[in-house]
Structures are given as C-alpha cells and as structure tokens.
Amino acid sequence: ATSLRSIKSLAPLLDRILVQRVKAEAKTASGIYLPESTVEKLSEAKVLAVGPGGTDKEGKRIEVSVKPGDRVLIPQYGGSPVKVGDEEYHLFRDHE
C-alpha cells in the first residue's frame, strides 16, 4: 500500500478512479450498537476523483463513465489500496 499525507495530492491518471468504501452502519434501526467484528465491508463506494480517460487505437480520448460524487458498486477484491493516515482508499480502472 502507498502512504500519502493528503488524499488531495493524488490525481488518478488515464482511466483510473479513486474511491472510498462506504462504511457500514454500526447501529441497528432499533438503536443497538453492533461490534466491529460483525459489521461487514460493503461493496459500495463513493467516487472521489477520476482520471481524464484512456485512449483508443486512433488516439481519441475515451471519457470515464463516472464522475466525482457518484456512488458505485465495486468488487470485493481488487484495485490498488492507497492509505492516507487511518483512512484507506482504492484505485480502480473504469471498466472494473
């Protein structure tokens, strides 16, 4: 994992997308707090930054399909982890 001081200093290249996994609720609807070991990782993430997009065989730019602020579903495994302080982020390709 890469270690940075500020996530704002990271700019994805080409068709890469920087996301942060959404944390699951640690409290039930009735107000009972769940222990951390029972809370699963969600496959949902918030897009923080996107690259300018990749290029095709003719050199034309292919736009990224999401924009910052979107909520997306991500695979359980994969991506490149990026750690900033105690927070963990992931870089994925647009097609993932």
Side-chain angles (χ1 to χ4, degrees):
T2 306
S3 182
L4 299 171
R5 292 185 183 169
S6 170
I7 197 63
K8 294 183 182 188
S9 65
L10 185 67
L13 298 176
L14 298 175
D15 64 341
R16 301 286 201 265
I17 299 170
L18 179 67
V19 299
Q20 183 177 26
R21 200 178 287 271
V22 175
K23 292 185 173 39
E25 287 291 323
K27 186 168 112 173
T28 64
S30 61
I32 299 172
Y33 286 94
L34 301 171
E36 209 172 288
S37 60
T38 62
V39 178
E40 293 183 21
K41 283 188 176 181
L42 295 177
S43 295
E44 185 179 350
K46 182 178 179 184
V47 176
L48 301 176
V50 298
T55 55
D56 62 8
K57 292 181 182 179
E58 289 95 37
K60 294 179 185 173
R61 181 78 55 195
I62 301 171
E63 294 293 319
V64 180
S65 61
V66 296
K67 60 185 183 298
D70 287 351
R71 293 178 86 91
V72 295
L73 294 176
I74 58 172
Q76 187 71 15
Y77 301 102
S80 301
V82 179
K83 193 161 177 107
V84 178
D86 293 337
E87 296 292 322
E88 189 168 319
Y89 305 90
H90 293 276
L91 274 172
F92 286 96
R93 288 184 177 265
D94 185 34
H95 68 270
E96 293 178 342

Coordinates of all heavy atoms in Angstrom, one line a residue:
A1 N 0.8 -1.2 0.0 CA 0.0 0.0 0.0 C 0.9 1.2 0.0 O 1.9 1.3 0.6 CB -0.9 0.0 1.2
T2 N 0.4 2.3 -0.7 CA 1.1 3.5 -0.7 C 0.7 4.4 0.4 O -0.5 4.4 0.8 CB 0.7 4.2 -2.1 OG1 1.0 3.4 -3.1 CG2 1.6 5.5 -2.2
S3 N 1.6 5.2 1.0 CA 1.3 6.1 2.1 C 1.5 7.5 1.7 O 2.5 7.9 1.2 CB 2.2 5.7 3.3 OG 1.8 6.5 4.4
L4 N 0.4 8.3 1.8 CA 0.5 9.7 1.5 C 0.1 10.6 2.7 O -0.5 10.1 3.6 CB -0.5 10.0 0.3 CG -0.3 9.3 -1.0 CD1 -1.5 9.5 -1.9 CD2 1.0 9.8 -1.6
R5 N 0.3 11.9 2.6 CA -0.1 12.8 3.7 C -1.5 13.3 3.5 O -2.2 13.6 4.4 CB 0.9 13.9 3.8 CG 2.2 13.4 4.3 CD 3.2 14.5 4.6 NE 4.5 13.9 5.0 CZ 5.6 14.6 5.1 NH1 5.6 15.9 4.8 NH2 6.7 14.0 5.5
S6 N -1.9 13.6 2.2 CA -3.2 14.2 1.9 C -3.7 13.5 0.6 O -3.0 13.4 -0.4 CB -3.0 15.7 1.7 OG -4.2 16.2 1.2
I7 N -5.0 13.1 0.7 CA -5.6 12.5 -0.5 C -5.8 13.5 -1.6 O -5.8 13.1 -2.8 CB -6.9 11.8 -0.1 CG1 -7.4 10.8 -1.2 CG2 -8.0 12.9 0.1 CD1 -6.5 9.7 -1.3
K8 N -5.8 14.8 -1.3 CA -5.9 15.8 -2.4 C -4.7 15.9 -3.3 O -4.8 16.4 -4.4 CB -6.2 17.1 -1.8 CG -7.6 17.2 -1.1 CD -7.9 18.5 -0.6 CE -9.3 18.4 0.1 NZ -9.8 19.7 0.5
S9 N -3.6 15.3 -2.8 CA -2.4 15.4 -3.6 C -2.3 14.2 -4.6 O -1.4 14.1 -5.4 CB -1.1 15.3 -2.7 OG -1.1 14.1 -2.1
L10 N -3.3 13.4 -4.6 CA -3.4 12.2 -5.5 C -4.3 12.5 -6.7 O -5.5 12.8 -6.5 CB -3.8 11.0 -4.8 CG -3.8 9.7 -5.5 CD1 -2.4 9.3 -5.9 CD2 -4.4 8.6 -4.7
A11 N -3.8 12.5 -7.9 CA -4.6 12.7 -9.1 C -4.6 11.4 -10.0 O -3.5 11.0 -10.4 CB -4.2 13.9 -9.9
P12 N -5.7 10.7 -10.2 CA -5.6 9.5 -11.0 C -5.3 9.8 -12.4 O -5.6 10.8 -13.0 CB -7.1 9.0 -10.9 CG -7.7 9.7 -9.8 CD -7.0 11.0 -9.6
L13 N -4.6 8.9 -13.1 CA -4.2 9.0 -14.5 C -5.1 8.1 -15.4 O -5.6 7.1 -14.9 CB -2.7 8.6 -14.7 CG -1.7 9.5 -13.9 CD1 -0.3 8.9 -14.2 CD2 -1.8 10.9 -14.4
L14 N -5.2 8.5 -16.6 CA -5.9 7.7 -17.6 C -7.3 7.3 -17.2 O -8.1 8.2 -16.8 CB -5.1 6.5 -18.1 CG -3.7 6.8 -18.7 CD1 -2.9 5.5 -19.0 CD2 -3.9 7.6 -20.0
D15 N -7.6 6.0 -17.2 CA -9.0 5.6 -16.8 C -9.1 5.1 -15.4 O -10.0 4.3 -15.1 CB -9.4 4.5 -17.8 CG -8.6 3.3 -17.7 OD1 -7.5 3.3 -17.1 OD2 -9.1 2.2 -18.1
R16 N -8.3 5.7 -14.5 CA -8.3 5.3 -13.1 C -9.4 6.1 -12.3 O -9.6 7.2 -12.6 CB -7.0 5.4 -12.4 CG -5.8 4.7 -13.1 CD -6.0 3.2 -12.7 NE -4.7 2.5 -12.8 CZ -4.4 1.8 -13.9 NH1 -5.2 1.8 -15.0 NH2 -3.2 1.2 -14.0
I17 N -9.9 5.4 -11.3 CA -11.0 6.1 -10.5 C -10.6 5.9 -9.0 O -10.3 4.8 -8.6 CB -12.3 5.4 -10.7 CG1 -12.7 5.6 -12.2 CG2 -13.4 6.0 -9.8 CD1 -13.9 4.9 -12.6
L18 N -10.5 6.9 -8.3 CA -10.2 6.9 -6.8 C -11.5 6.9 -6.1 O -12.4 7.7 -6.2 CB -9.4 8.1 -6.4 CG -9.0 8.2 -4.9 CD1 -8.0 7.1 -4.6 CD2 -8.4 9.6 -4.6
V19 N -11.7 5.8 -5.2 CA -12.9 5.7 -4.5 C -12.6 5.4 -3.0 O -11.5 5.0 -2.6 CB -13.8 4.5 -5.0 CG1 -14.2 4.7 -6.4 CG2 -13.1 3.1 -4.8
Q20 N -13.6 5.7 -2.2 CA -13.5 5.4 -0.7 C -14.7 4.5 -0.4 O -15.9 4.9 -0.7 CB -13.5 6.6 0.1 CG -13.4 6.3 1.6 CD -13.3 7.5 2.5 OE1 -13.8 8.6 2.1 NE2 -12.6 7.4 3.6
R21 N -14.5 3.3 0.2 CA -15.5 2.4 0.5 C -16.4 3.0 1.6 O -16.0 3.6 2.5 CB -14.9 1.1 1.1 CG -15.8 -0.1 1.0 CD -15.1 -1.3 1.5 NE -14.1 -1.8 0.6 CZ -14.3 -2.7 -0.3 NH1 -15.5 -3.2 -0.5 NH2 -13.4 -3.2 -1.1
V22 N -17.7 2.9 1.4 CA -18.7 3.4 2.3 C -18.7 2.5 3.5 O -18.7 1.2 3.4 CB -20.1 3.4 1.7 CG1 -21.2 3.8 2.7 CG2 -20.1 4.3 0.5
K23 N -18.7 3.1 4.7 CA -18.7 2.3 5.9 C -20.1 1.8 6.3 O -21.0 2.6 6.2 CB -18.1 3.1 7.1 CG -16.6 3.4 6.9 CD -16.1 4.1 8.1 CE -14.6 4.3 8.2 NZ -13.9 4.7 7.1
A24 N -20.2 0.6 6.7 CA -21.5 0.0 7.1 C -21.9 0.6 8.5 O -21.1 1.0 9.3 CB -21.4 -1.5 7.2
E25 N -23.2 0.7 8.7 CA -23.7 1.2 9.9 C -23.4 0.2 11.1 O -23.5 -1.0 10.9 CB -25.2 1.3 9.9 CG -25.7 2.5 9.0 CD -25.4 3.8 9.6 OE1 -25.5 4.0 10.8 OE2 -25.1 4.7 8.9
A26 N -22.9 0.8 12.2 CA -22.6 0.0 13.3 C -23.7 0.0 14.3 O -23.6 -0.5 15.5 CB -21.3 0.6 14.0
K27 N -24.9 0.5 13.9 CA -26.0 0.6 14.8 C -27.3 0.1 14.0 O -27.5 0.4 12.9 CB -26.2 2.0 15.2 CG -27.3 2.2 16.3 CD -27.2 3.6 16.9 CE -28.4 4.5 16.4 NZ -28.4 5.8 17.1
T28 N -28.1 -0.7 14.7 CA -29.3 -1.2 14.0 C -30.4 -0.1 14.0 O -30.3 0.9 14.7 CB -29.8 -2.5 14.7 OG1 -30.2 -2.1 16.1 CG2 -28.8 -3.6 14.8
A29 N -31.5 -0.4 13.3 CA -32.6 0.5 13.3 C -33.2 0.8 14.7 O -33.7 1.8 15.0 CB -33.6 0.0 12.3
S30 N -33.1 -0.3 15.5 CA -33.7 -0.1 16.9 C -32.7 0.5 17.9 O -33.1 0.7 19.0 CB -34.1 -1.5 17.4 OG -33.0 -2.4 17.5
G31 N -31.5 0.9 17.4 CA -30.6 1.6 18.3 C -29.5 0.7 19.0 O -28.8 1.2 19.8
I32 N -29.4 -0.6 18.6 CA -28.4 -1.5 19.2 C -27.1 -1.3 18.4 O -27.1 -1.4 17.2 CB -28.9 -2.9 19.2 CG1 -30.2 -3.1 20.0 CG2 -27.8 -3.9 19.7 CD1 -30.9 -4.4 19.8
Y33 N -26.0 -1.1 19.2 CA -24.7 -1.0 18.6 C -24.1 -2.4 18.3 O -24.1 -3.2 19.2 CB -23.8 -0.1 19.4 CG -24.1 1.3 19.4 CD1 -24.9 1.9 20.4 CD2 -23.6 2.1 18.4 CE1 -25.2 3.2 20.3 CE2 -23.9 3.5 18.3 CZ -24.7 4.0 19.3 OH -25.0 5.3 19.2
L34 N -23.6 -2.6 17.1 CA -23.0 -3.8 16.7 C -21.5 -3.8 17.0 O -20.9 -2.8 16.7 CB -23.3 -4.2 15.3 CG -24.8 -4.2 14.9 CD1 -24.9 -4.3 13.4 CD2 -25.4 -5.4 15.6
P35 N -20.9 -4.9 17.4 CA -19.5 -5.0 17.5 C -18.8 -4.9 16.1 O -19.4 -5.3 15.1 CB -19.2 -6.3 18.2 CG -20.4 -7.1 18.0 CD -21.5 -6.2 17.8
E36 N -17.6 -4.4 16.1 CA -16.9 -4.2 14.8 C -16.7 -5.5 14.0 O -16.7 -5.5 12.8 CB -15.6 -3.5 15.1 CG -15.1 -2.6 14.0 CD -13.8 -1.9 14.3 OE1 -14.0 -0.9 15.1 OE2 -12.8 -2.2 13.8
S37 N -16.6 -6.6 14.7 CA -16.3 -7.8 14.1 C -17.5 -8.4 13.3 O -17.3 -9.1 12.3 CB -15.9 -8.9 15.1 OG -16.9 -9.1 16.0
T38 N -18.7 -7.9 13.6 CA -19.9 -8.4 12.9 C -20.3 -7.5 11.7 O -21.1 -7.9 10.9 CB -21.1 -8.5 13.8 OG1 -21.4 -7.2 14.4 CG2 -20.8 -9.5 15.0
V39 N -19.7 -6.3 11.6 CA -20.0 -5.4 10.6 C -19.2 -5.7 9.3 O -18.0 -5.8 9.4 CB -19.8 -3.9 11.0 CG1 -20.1 -3.0 9.9 CG2 -20.6 -3.6 12.2
E40 N -19.9 -6.0 8.2 CA -19.2 -6.4 7.0 C -18.8 -5.2 6.2 O -19.4 -4.2 6.3 CB -20.1 -7.3 6.2 CG -20.4 -8.7 6.8 CD -21.3 -9.5 5.9 OE1 -21.3 -9.3 4.7 OE2 -21.9 -10.4 6.4
K41 N -17.8 -5.4 5.3 CA -17.5 -4.4 4.4 C -18.5 -4.4 3.3 O -18.9 -5.4 2.7 CB -16.1 -4.7 3.7 CG -14.9 -4.4 4.6 CD -13.6 -4.5 3.8 CE -12.5 -4.1 4.7 NZ -11.2 -4.2 3.9
L42 N -19.0 -3.2 2.9 CA -19.9 -3.0 1.9 C -19.2 -3.0 0.5 O -18.1 -2.6 0.4 CB -20.7 -1.8 2.1 CG -21.6 -1.7 3.3 CD1 -22.3 -0.3 3.4 CD2 -22.7 -2.8 3.3
S43 N -19.9 -3.3 -0.5 CA -19.4 -3.3 -1.9 C -19.7 -1.9 -2.5 O -19.7 -1.8 -3.7 CB -19.9 -4.4 -2.7 OG -19.4 -5.6 -2.2
E44 N -20.1 -1.0 -1.7 CA -20.5 0.4 -2.2 C -19.4 1.3 -1.9 O -18.7 1.3 -0.8 CB -21.8 0.8 -1.6 CG -22.3 2.1 -2.1 CD -23.6 2.5 -1.4 OE1 -24.2 1.7 -0.7 OE2 -24.0 3.6 -1.6
A45 N -19.1 2.3 -2.8 CA -18.0 3.3 -2.6 C -18.4 4.6 -3.2 O -19.3 4.7 -4.1 CB -16.7 2.8 -3.2
K46 N -17.8 5.6 -2.7 CA -18.0 7.0 -3.2 C -16.8 7.4 -4.1 O -15.7 7.2 -3.7 CB -18.2 8.0 -2.1 CG -18.5 9.4 -2.5 CD -18.7 10.3 -1.4 CE -18.9 11.7 -1.9 NZ -19.1 12.7 -0.8
V47 N -17.1 7.9 -5.3 CA -16.0 8.3 -6.2 C -15.5 9.7 -5.7 O -16.3 10.6 -5.6 CB -16.6 8.4 -7.6 CG1 -15.5 8.9 -8.6 CG2 -17.1 7.1 -8.1
L48 N -14.2 9.7 -5.5 CA -13.6 11.0 -5.0 C -12.9 11.7 -6.2 O -12.9 13.0 -6.2 CB -12.5 10.7 -4.0 CG -13.1 10.0 -2.7 CD1 -11.9 9.6 -1.8 CD2 -14.1 10.8 -2.0
A49 N -12.3 11.0 -7.1 CA -11.6 11.6 -8.2 C -11.5 10.7 -9.4 O -11.5 9.5 -9.2 CB -10.2 12.1 -7.8
V50 N -11.5 11.2 -10.6 CA -11.4 10.4 -11.8 C -10.2 10.9 -12.7 O -10.0 12.1 -12.7 CB -12.7 10.3 -12.6 CG1 -13.8 9.7 -11.8 CG2 -13.1 11.7 -13.1
G51 N -9.7 10.0 -13.5 CA -8.6 10.5 -14.5 C -9.3 11.0 -15.7 O -10.5 11.0 -15.8
P52 N -8.5 11.5 -16.6 CA -9.1 12.1 -17.8 C -9.7 11.1 -18.8 O -10.4 11.5 -19.7 CB -7.9 12.9 -18.4 CG -6.7 12.2 -17.9 CD -7.1 11.7 -16.6
G53 N -9.3 9.9 -18.7 CA -9.8 8.8 -19.5 C -8.7 8.2 -20.4 O -7.7 8.8 -20.5
G54 N -8.9 7.0 -20.9 CA -7.9 6.4 -21.7 C -8.1 6.8 -23.2 O -8.8 7.7 -23.5
T55 N -7.3 6.2 -24.0 CA -7.3 6.5 -25.4 C -7.6 5.2 -26.2 O -7.2 4.1 -25.8 CB -6.0 7.1 -25.9 OG1 -4.9 6.2 -25.6 CG2 -5.8 8.5 -25.3
D56 N -8.2 5.3 -27.4 CA -8.4 4.1 -28.2 C -7.3 4.0 -29.2 O -6.3 4.7 -29.1 CB -9.8 4.2 -28.9 CG -9.9 5.4 -29.9 OD1 -8.9 6.1 -30.1 OD2 -11.0 5.7 -30.4
K57 N -7.4 3.1 -30.2 CA -6.3 2.8 -31.1 C -6.0 4.0 -32.0 O -4.9 4.1 -32.5 CB -6.7 1.6 -32.0 CG -6.7 0.3 -31.2 CD -7.0 -0.9 -32.1 CE -7.1 -2.1 -31.2 NZ -7.4 -3.3 -32.0
E58 N -7.0 4.9 -32.3 CA -6.7 6.0 -33.1 C -6.2 7.2 -32.3 O -5.9 8.3 -32.8 CB -8.0 6.5 -33.9 CG -8.4 5.5 -35.0 CD -9.4 4.5 -34.5 OE1 -10.3 4.9 -33.7 OE2 -9.3 3.4 -35.0
G59 N -6.1 7.1 -31.0 CA -5.6 8.1 -30.1 C -6.7 9.1 -29.6 O -6.4 10.1 -29.0
K60 N -8.0 8.7 -29.8 CA -9.1 9.6 -29.4 C -9.4 9.2 -27.9 O -9.3 8.1 -27.5 CB -10.4 9.3 -30.2 CG -10.2 9.7 -31.6 CD -11.5 9.4 -32.4 CE -11.3 9.7 -33.8 NZ -12.5 9.3 -34.6
R61 N -9.7 10.3 -27.1 CA -9.9 10.1 -25.7 C -11.3 9.4 -25.4 O -12.3 9.8 -26.0 CB -9.9 11.5 -25.1 CG -10.2 11.6 -23.6 CD -9.0 11.2 -22.7 NE -7.8 12.0 -23.0 CZ -6.6 11.7 -22.5 NH1 -6.5 10.6 -21.8 NH2 -5.6 12.4 -22.8
I62 N -11.3 8.4 -24.6 CA -12.5 7.7 -24.1 C -12.8 8.2 -22.7 O -12.0 8.0 -21.8 CB -12.3 6.2 -24.1 CG1 -11.9 5.7 -25.5 CG2 -13.5 5.5 -23.6 CD1 -11.5 4.3 -25.5
E63 N -13.9 8.9 -22.6 CA -14.3 9.5 -21.3 C -14.5 8.4 -20.2 O -15.0 7.3 -20.5 CB -15.5 10.4 -21.4 CG -15.3 11.6 -22.3 CD -14.4 12.6 -21.7 OE1 -14.5 12.8 -20.4 OE2 -13.5 13.2 -22.4
V64 N -14.3 8.8 -19.0 CA -14.6 7.9 -17.9 C -16.1 7.9 -17.6 O -16.7 8.9 -17.8 CB -13.8 8.3 -16.6 CG1 -14.1 7.4 -15.4 CG2 -12.3 8.4 -16.9
S65 N -16.7 6.8 -17.3 CA -18.1 6.6 -17.2 C -18.7 7.2 -15.9 O -19.9 7.3 -15.7 CB -18.5 5.2 -17.3 OG -18.0 4.4 -16.3
V66 N -17.9 7.6 -14.9 CA -18.4 8.1 -13.6 C -17.8 9.5 -13.4 O -16.8 9.8 -14.0 CB -18.1 7.2 -12.4 CG1 -18.9 5.9 -12.6 CG2 -16.7 6.9 -12.3
K67 N -18.3 10.2 -12.4 CA -17.8 11.5 -12.0 C -17.7 11.6 -10.5 O -18.3 10.8 -9.8 CB -18.6 12.6 -12.6 CG -20.1 12.6 -12.1 CD -20.8 13.7 -12.8 CE -22.3 13.8 -12.4 NZ -23.1 12.7 -12.5
P68 N -16.8 12.5 -10.0 CA -16.7 12.6 -8.5 C -18.1 12.9 -7.9 O -18.9 13.6 -8.4 CB -15.8 13.8 -8.4 CG -15.0 13.8 -9.6 CD -15.9 13.4 -10.7
G69 N -18.3 12.2 -6.8 CA -19.5 12.3 -6.0 C -20.5 11.2 -6.3 O -21.4 10.9 -5.5
D70 N -20.3 10.4 -7.4 CA -21.1 9.2 -7.7 C -20.9 8.1 -6.6 O -19.9 8.0 -6.1 CB -20.8 8.7 -9.1 CG -21.3 9.5 -10.2 OD1 -22.1 10.5 -9.9 OD2 -21.0 9.3 -11.3
R71 N -22.0 7.3 -6.4 CA -21.8 6.1 -5.6 C -21.9 5.0 -6.5 O -22.7 4.9 -7.4 CB -23.0 6.1 -4.6 CG -22.9 7.2 -3.6 CD -24.1 7.2 -2.6 NE -23.8 6.3 -1.5 CZ -23.3 6.6 -0.3 NH1 -22.9 7.8 -0.1 NH2 -23.1 5.8 0.6
V72 N -20.9 4.1 -6.4 CA -20.7 2.9 -7.3 C -20.6 1.6 -6.5 O -20.3 1.6 -5.3 CB -19.5 3.1 -8.2 CG1 -19.7 4.3 -9.1 CG2 -18.2 3.3 -7.4
L73 N -20.8 0.5 -7.2 CA -20.6 -0.8 -6.6 C -19.2 -1.2 -7.1 O -18.9 -1.1 -8.3 CB -21.6 -1.8 -7.1 CG -23.0 -1.5 -6.6 CD1 -24.0 -2.5 -7.2 CD2 -23.1 -1.6 -5.1
I74 N -18.4 -1.7 -6.2 CA -17.0 -2.2 -6.5 C -16.9 -3.6 -6.2 O -17.6 -4.2 -5.3 CB -16.0 -1.3 -5.8 CG1 -16.2 -1.4 -4.3 CG2 -16.0 0.1 -6.3 CD1 -15.1 -0.7 -3.5
P75 N -15.9 -4.3 -6.8 CA -15.6 -5.7 -6.5 C -15.1 -5.8 -5.0 O -14.5 -4.9 -4.5 CB -14.6 -6.2 -7.5 CG -14.1 -4.9 -8.2 CD -15.0 -3.8 -7.9
Q76 N -15.4 -7.0 -4.4 CA -14.9 -7.2 -3.1 C -13.4 -7.2 -3.0 O -12.8 -6.7 -2.0 CB -15.4 -8.6 -2.6 CG -15.2 -8.9 -1.2 CD -16.0 -8.1 -0.2 OE1 -17.0 -7.5 -0.6 NE2 -15.6 -8.1 1.0
Y77 N -12.7 -7.7 -4.0 CA -11.3 -7.7 -4.0 C -10.8 -7.0 -5.3 O -11.5 -7.0 -6.3 CB -10.7 -9.2 -4.0 CG -11.2 -9.9 -2.8 CD1 -12.2 -10.8 -2.8 CD2 -10.6 -9.7 -1.6 CE1 -12.6 -11.5 -1.7 CE2 -11.0 -10.4 -0.4 CZ -12.0 -11.3 -0.5 OH -12.5 -12.0 0.6
G78 N -9.6 -6.5 -5.3 CA -9.0 -5.9 -6.4 C -8.8 -4.4 -6.2 O -9.0 -3.9 -5.1
G79 N -8.3 -3.7 -7.2 CA -8.0 -2.3 -7.0 C -6.6 -2.2 -6.3 O -6.1 -3.2 -5.8
S80 N -6.1 -1.0 -6.3 CA -4.8 -0.7 -5.6 C -5.1 0.1 -4.4 O -5.7 1.2 -4.5 CB -3.9 0.1 -6.6 OG -3.7 -0.6 -7.8
P81 N -4.8 -0.5 -3.2 CA -5.1 0.3 -2.0 C -4.1 1.5 -1.8 O -3.0 1.4 -2.2 CB -4.9 -0.8 -0.9 CG -4.0 -1.8 -1.5 CD -4.2 -1.8 -3.0
V82 N -4.7 2.6 -1.3 CA -3.9 3.8 -1.0 C -4.3 4.2 0.4 O -5.5 4.4 0.7 CB -4.3 4.9 -2.0 CG1 -3.5 6.2 -1.7 CG2 -4.0 4.5 -3.4
K83 N -3.3 4.2 1.3 CA -3.6 4.6 2.7 C -3.1 6.0 3.0 O -2.0 6.4 2.7 CB -2.9 3.6 3.6 CG -3.3 3.6 5.0 CD -2.9 2.4 5.7 CE -3.3 2.5 7.2 NZ -4.4 1.7 7.5
V84 N -4.0 6.8 3.5 CA -3.7 8.2 3.9 C -4.1 8.3 5.4 O -5.3 8.3 5.7 CB -4.5 9.2 3.1 CG1 -4.2 10.6 3.6 CG2 -4.1 9.0 1.6
G85 N -3.1 8.3 6.3 CA -3.4 8.4 7.7 C -4.1 7.1 8.1 O -3.6 6.0 7.8
D86 N -5.2 7.2 8.7 CA -6.0 6.0 9.1 C -7.0 5.6 8.0 O -7.6 4.5 8.1 CB -6.7 6.2 10.4 CG -5.8 6.4 11.6 OD1 -4.6 5.9 11.5 OD2 -6.1 7.0 12.6
E87 N -7.2 6.4 7.0 CA -8.2 6.1 6.0 C -7.6 5.3 4.9 O -6.5 5.5 4.5 CB -8.8 7.4 5.4 CG -9.5 8.3 6.4 CD -10.8 7.6 6.8 OE1 -11.5 7.0 6.0 OE2 -11.2 7.8 8.0
E88 N -8.4 4.4 4.3 CA -8.0 3.6 3.2 C -8.9 3.9 1.9 O -10.1 4.0 2.0 CB -8.0 2.1 3.5 CG -7.4 1.3 2.4 CD -7.2 -0.1 2.9 OE1 -6.8 -0.3 4.0 OE2 -7.4 -1.0 2.0
Y89 N -8.2 4.1 0.8 CA -8.9 4.4 -0.5 C -8.4 3.3 -1.5 O -7.5 2.6 -1.2 CB -8.5 5.8 -1.0 CG -8.8 6.9 0.0 CD1 -7.8 7.3 1.0 CD2 -10.0 7.6 0.1 CE1 -8.1 8.3 1.9 CE2 -10.2 8.6 1.0 CZ -9.3 8.9 1.9 OH -9.5 9.9 2.8
H90 N -9.1 3.3 -2.6 CA -8.8 2.3 -3.6 C -8.8 3.0 -5.0 O -9.6 3.8 -5.3 CB -9.7 1.1 -3.6 CG -9.6 0.3 -2.4 ND1 -8.7 -0.7 -2.2 CD2 -10.4 0.3 -1.3 CE1 -8.9 -1.3 -1.1 NE2 -9.9 -0.7 -0.4
L91 N -7.8 2.5 -5.9 CA -7.8 3.0 -7.3 C -8.3 1.8 -8.1 O -7.8 0.7 -8.0 CB -6.4 3.3 -7.7 CG -6.0 4.7 -7.4 CD1 -4.5 4.9 -7.7 CD2 -6.7 5.7 -8.2
F92 N -9.3 2.0 -8.9 CA -9.8 1.0 -9.9 C -9.7 1.6 -11.3 O -9.8 2.8 -11.5 CB -11.3 0.7 -9.5 CG -11.5 -0.1 -8.3 CD1 -11.8 0.4 -7.1 CD2 -11.4 -1.5 -8.4 CE1 -12.0 -0.3 -6.0 CE2 -11.6 -2.3 -7.2 CZ -11.8 -1.7 -6.0
R93 N -9.7 0.7 -12.2 CA -9.9 1.1 -13.6 C -11.4 1.3 -13.9 O -12.2 0.7 -13.2 CB -9.4 0.0 -14.6 CG -7.8 -0.1 -14.6 CD -7.4 -1.2 -15.6 NE -6.0 -1.3 -15.7 CZ -5.3 -0.6 -16.6 NH1 -5.8 0.2 -17.4 NH2 -4.0 -0.7 -16.6
D94 N -11.7 2.1 -14.9 CA -13.1 2.4 -15.2 C -13.9 1.2 -15.5 O -15.0 1.0 -15.1 CB -13.1 3.4 -16.3 CG -14.5 3.9 -16.7 OD1 -15.3 4.0 -15.7 OD2 -14.8 4.1 -17.8
H95 N -13.3 0.2 -16.2 CA -14.1 -1.0 -16.6 C -14.3 -1.9 -15.5 O -15.1 -2.8 -15.6 CB -13.4 -1.7 -17.8 CG -12.1 -2.3 -17.4 ND1 -10.9 -1.7 -17.5 CD2 -11.8 -3.6 -17.0 CE1 -9.9 -2.5 -17.2 NE2 -10.5 -3.6 -16.8
E96 N -13.6 -1.8 -14.3 CA -13.9 -2.6 -13.2 C -15.1 -2.1 -12.4 O -15.7 -2.8 -11.7 CB -12.7 -2.6 -12.3 CG -11.5 -3.3 -12.9 CD -10.3 -3.3 -12.0 OE1 -10.2 -2.5 -11.1 OE2 -9.3 -4.0 -12.3

